[in-house]
């Protein structure tokens, strides 16, 4: 067994994949909108690759205009279904604490943790103002405000934990047939919680979870979300900030966790990536550009060409960027409105453009391909990693070694194909480099997340 730090890997389970346009590829199968076998296969694929868990975000709004997100399968039903077909794979359950009630969620979690023999984790999200207007679907529910949503999240998480772990003693089952006592007298406890947002008596009417602590995962961008994570969570599903800022954020967050008296090594920082993978990097870049071109784009706006210093009345948009843009004389800040640098690690716009050309769209990219990429990546919360297996493994290895992250959540752009390719090509490469497990080392998800990295 190699003594290198090991990645944690999660795989997103969405019926038509994550990319908003890739469903239009001729080879993409969109039956997953209605046919659960597609994401059941995602669970099987994830387990075949010895991945830590599968997950989907919490989506309570309605998005009939977002064609690949018309339907969103319910997480818990999906996990219950896929759990029976898997033995080691974890299930990360995303739950929105601004909308959900802790008693119902504790019931679902405890049930799933028993049914999976300890393979669940809870991802607490807080969003109120989300895509698809969930408030429109939860009209008369009492809602927190932007300022009270974290109070509610804290109370929610505390109540879920109390229901799970304080309702029952471990030796609750007496099974005294002669005496007529199935449950040991005094083995259950009301939690009698009375708080700002919830009143819950308890006990929970489901047996305690198998795991002594169901891992808590959290997302968010604000300072308050970091504080919540340092207090409650074992994993932060983090935005990605590039290497140098990412290292800084990683270090600060680990320090914050340590200052709370917790072991920072056991707190995992895991951003998401969308991956575009093929047998060769050339093919992967071509596929990425093909997908970018599937968006229904308008003409390149003059503000964009002006930022590049190109006059589109004289230069065709099919020209190669490097043939018509004088990279060295790009004005600093000109590209900012178009290319988010949040996910990148660059000093100035010249470097930003070079990096996009090298790592994303390829150095032969045309003006049109660059613009198509820019249009799409503007809304991305996570980087697109494009390349062959070695290149994707290089990206993961560098970020792991630089202490930017402890793992990633993988978002396949479409189905079927990319998730299998990742497991067949990238996982063996990571194993060969000694930065990913070759066997499941623990029977529970907490065990997988917690096991020493070396
Ligand atoms: C990486 C990431 C993933 C998120 N996933 C979800 C999600 O699946 N469902 C959801 O309702 N909100 C999701 N959110 C939104 C957060 O829960 C939160 O509402 C948002 O970041 C705004 O809160 P903040 O200002 O405290 O960060 C996500 C946020 C981030 C950064």
């Amino acid at each position: 067994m190699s003594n290198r730090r090991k990645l944690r890997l999660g795989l997103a389970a969405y019926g038509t994949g994550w990319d908003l346009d890739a469903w239009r590829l001729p080879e993409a199968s969109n039956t997953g909108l209605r046919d659960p076998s597609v994401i059941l296969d995602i669970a099987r694929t994830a387990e075949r690759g010895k991945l830590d868990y599968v997950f989907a975000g919490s989506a309570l709004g309605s998005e009939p205009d977002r064609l690949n997100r018309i339907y969103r399968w319910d997480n818990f039903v999906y996990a219950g279904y896929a759990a029976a077909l898997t033995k080691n794979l974890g299930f990360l359950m995303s739950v929105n604490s601004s909308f959900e009630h802790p008693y119902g969620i504790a019931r679902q979690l405890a049930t799933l943790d028993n049914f999976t023999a300890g393979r669940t984790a809870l991802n607490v999200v807080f969003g109120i103002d989300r895509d698809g207007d969930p408030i429109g679907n939860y009209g008369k529910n009492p809602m927190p405000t932007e300022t009270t949503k974290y109070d509610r999240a804290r109370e929610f998480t505390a109540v879920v934990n109390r229901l799970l772990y304080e309702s029952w003693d471990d030796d609750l089952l007496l099974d005294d047939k002669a005496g007529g006592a199935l449950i040991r007298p005094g083995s259950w406890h009301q939690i009698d919680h009375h708080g700002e947002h919830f009143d819950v008596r308890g006990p929970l009417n489901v047996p305690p979870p198998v795991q002594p602590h169901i891992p808590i995962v959290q997302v968010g961008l604000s300072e308050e979300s970091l504080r919540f994570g340092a207090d409650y969570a074992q994993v932060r599903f983090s935005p990605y900030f590039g290497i140098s800022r990412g290292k800084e954020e990683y270090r600060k967050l680990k320090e914050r966790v340590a200052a709370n008296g917790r072991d920072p090594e056991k707190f995992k920082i895991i951003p998401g990536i969308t991956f575009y993978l093929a047998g060769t990097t050339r093919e992967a870049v071509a596929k990425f550009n093909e997908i970018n071109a599937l968006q229904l784009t308008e003409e390149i706006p003059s503000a964009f060409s002006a930022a590049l210093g190109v006059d589109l009345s004289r230069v065709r948009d099919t020209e190669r960027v490097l043939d018509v843009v004088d990279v060295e004389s790009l004005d600093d800040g000109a590209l900012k409105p178009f290319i988010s640098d949040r996910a990148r690690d660059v000093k100035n716009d010249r470097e930003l453009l070079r990096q996009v050309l090298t790592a994303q769209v390829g150095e032969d990219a045309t003006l049109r391909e660059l613009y198509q990429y820019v249009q799409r990546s503007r809304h991305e919360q996570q980087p697109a990693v494009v390349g062959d297996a070695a290149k994707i493994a290089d990206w993961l290895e560098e970020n792991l070694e630089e202490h930017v992250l402890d793992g990633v959540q993988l978002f396949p752009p479409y189905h079927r194909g990319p998730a299998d390719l990742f497991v067949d090509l990238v996982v063996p490469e990571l194993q060969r480099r000694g930065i990913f497990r070759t066997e499941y080392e623990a029977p529970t998800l907490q065990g997988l997340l917690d096991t020493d990295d070396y």
Side-chain angles (χ1 to χ4, degrees):
M1 193 72 175
S2 147
N3 63 355
R4 300 188 68 189
R5 250 172 90 229
K6 304 276 186 295
L7 287 160
R8 303 301 191 278
L9 296 176
L11 186 63
Y14 292 97
T16 50
W18 183 249
D19 188 290
L20 287 179
D21 301 301
W23 65 273
R24 296 184 62 206
L25 285 171
E27 68 267 37
S29 156
N30 298 315
T31 54
L33 273 185
R34 298 292 302 268
D35 173 4
S37 74
V38 175
I39 55 173
L40 280 184
D41 280 353
I42 286 282
R44 288 196 191 96
T45 304
E47 187 158 81
R48 186 161 65 77
K50 313 266 188 305
L51 269 50
D52 293 75
Y53 56 81
V54 283
F55 76 100
S58 157
L60 303 176
S62 316
E63 300 179 85
D65 298 332
R66 232 166 162 186
L67 297 179
N68 70 339
R69 313 260 161 94
I70 304 170
Y71 307 127
R72 297 274 208 140
W73 300 107
D74 180 86
N75 278 344
F76 276 98
V77 178
Y78 163 63
Y81 195 27
L85 301 174
T86 50
K87 280 202 173 67
N88 295 99
L89 183 69
F91 292 90
L92 173 53
M93 308 311 306
S94 301
V95 165
N96 191 322
S97 62
S98 298
F99 292 86
E100 308 278 9
H101 193 282
Y103 191 79
I105 296 300
R107 273 177 51 71
Q108 290 176 296
L109 265 184
T111 303
L112 190 63
D113 206 63
N114 277 281
F115 285 10
T116 58
R119 294 188 277 135
T120 59
L122 173 65
N123 180 24
V124 185
V125 304
F126 330 92
I128 303 169
D129 185 15
R130 297 292 296 170
D131 289 340
D133 182 24
I135 293 179
N137 292 334
Y138 284 75
K140 290 203 168 124
N141 237 15
M143 288 298 303
T145 62
E146 278 301 326
T147 45
T148 61
K149 70 181 183 186
Y150 280 99
D151 295 339
R152 178 166 158 136
R154 283 171 181 275
E155 192 180 331
F156 176 94
T157 310
V159 174
V160 167
N161 273 328
R162 289 196 61 202
L163 283 166
L164 294 176
Y165 294 110
E166 294 177 20
S167 291
W168 295 97
D169 294 342
D170 284 344
D171 59 353
L172 64 102
L173 189 63
L174 192 57
D175 201 10
D176 175 6
K177 293 184 174 118
L182 184 58
I183 296 299
R184 187 178 305 282
S187 67
W188 57 267
H189 315 280
Q190 296 182 183
I191 67 162
D192 287 325
H193 172 85
H194 300 288
E196 186 71 28
H197 300 276
F198 309 107
D199 278 340
V200 183
R201 187 200 55 225
L204 190 66
N205 60 359
V206 178
V210 170
Q211 297 182 98
H213 302 285
I214 290 189
I216 307 272
V217 181
Q218 61 96 210
V219 298
L221 298 165
S222 60
E223 171 65 21
E224 196 50 49
S225 86
L226 291 169
R227 226 174 288 143
F228 173 85
D231 289 346
Y232 286 96
Q234 180 172 350
V235 175
R236 174 166 169 78
F237 177 9
S238 153
Y240 180 76
F241 297 108
I243 303 261
S244 62
R245 181 166 164 210
K247 261 164 96 158
E248 193 52 23
E249 300 283 339
Y250 180 100
R251 189 184 55 73
K252 282 197 302 208
L253 190 48
K254 295 265 174 157
E255 279 172 11
R256 193 191 280 256
V257 170
N260 268 10
R262 299 173 52 203
D263 179 357
E265 295 285 314
K266 305 243 184 255
F267 183 92
K268 305 294 177 196
I269 297 174
I270 304 188
I273 66 168
T274 319
F275 60 94
Y276 298 83
L277 164 66
T280 65
T281 293
R282 179 175 285 275
E283 286 169 319
V285 169
K287 183 59 66 185
F288 184 54
N289 286 333
E290 184 185 346
I291 293 170
N292 283 331
L294 288 171
Q295 69 188 310
L296 305 168
T297 37
E298 341 77 65
E299 289 307 298
I300 298 182
S302 52
F304 181 66
S305 51
L308 292 170
V310 174
D311 177 358
L312 279 177
S313 64
R314 301 169 56 179
V315 173
R316 276 173 307 154
D317 64 7
T318 49
E319 296 282 352
R320 185 172 171 262
V321 176
L322 287 177
D323 289 343
V324 291
V325 174
D326 180 0
V327 179
E328 285 317 306
S329 60
L330 272 185
D331 281 344
D332 216 16
L335 289 177
K336 264 236 157 61
F338 302 102
I339 307 181
S340 151
D341 58 0
R342 192 171 54 146
R344 268 166 262 285
D345 198 20
V346 288
K347 287 195 212 60
N348 53 42
D349 283 15
R350 296 181 287 286
E351 221 177 277
L352 177 61
L353 181 58
R354 270 195 229 100
Q355 202 184 92
V356 168
L357 290 172
T358 320
Q360 316 270 331
V361 290
E363 292 187 348
D364 289 331
T366 62
L367 284 170
R368 167 142 291 265
E369 284 169 335
L370 178 64
Y371 179 65
Q372 285 163 336
Y373 163 76
V374 163
Q375 271 292 86
R376 281 160 41 85
S377 58
R378 213 187 277 187
H379 306 292
E380 290 277 322
Q381 286 194 349
Q382 55 201 21
V385 184
V386 187
D388 64 4
K391 197 137 188 254
I392 290 184
D394 288 348
W395 190 96
L396 291 168
E397 185 173 17
E398 183 184 11
N399 280 276
L400 181 72
E401 290 290 292
E402 292 284 350
H403 293 267
V404 172
L405 48 77
D406 298 304
V408 289
Q409 322 238 46
L410 298 158
F411 288 75
Y414 63 93
H415 299 311
R416 301 172 181 236
D420 282 285
L421 271 187
F422 190 94
V423 161
D424 291 334
L425 303 180
V426 183
V427 166
E429 181 65 26
L430 299 173
Q431 290 168 331
R432 201 180 56 69
R433 298 181 189 198
I435 54 171
F436 190 59
R437 70 171 64 83
T438 50
E439 292 303 332
Y440 281 110
E441 67 276 13
T444 65
L445 181 52
Q446 191 200 346
L448 296 180
L449 293 171
D450 242 15
T451 307
D452 286 340
D453 284 334
Y454 298 97

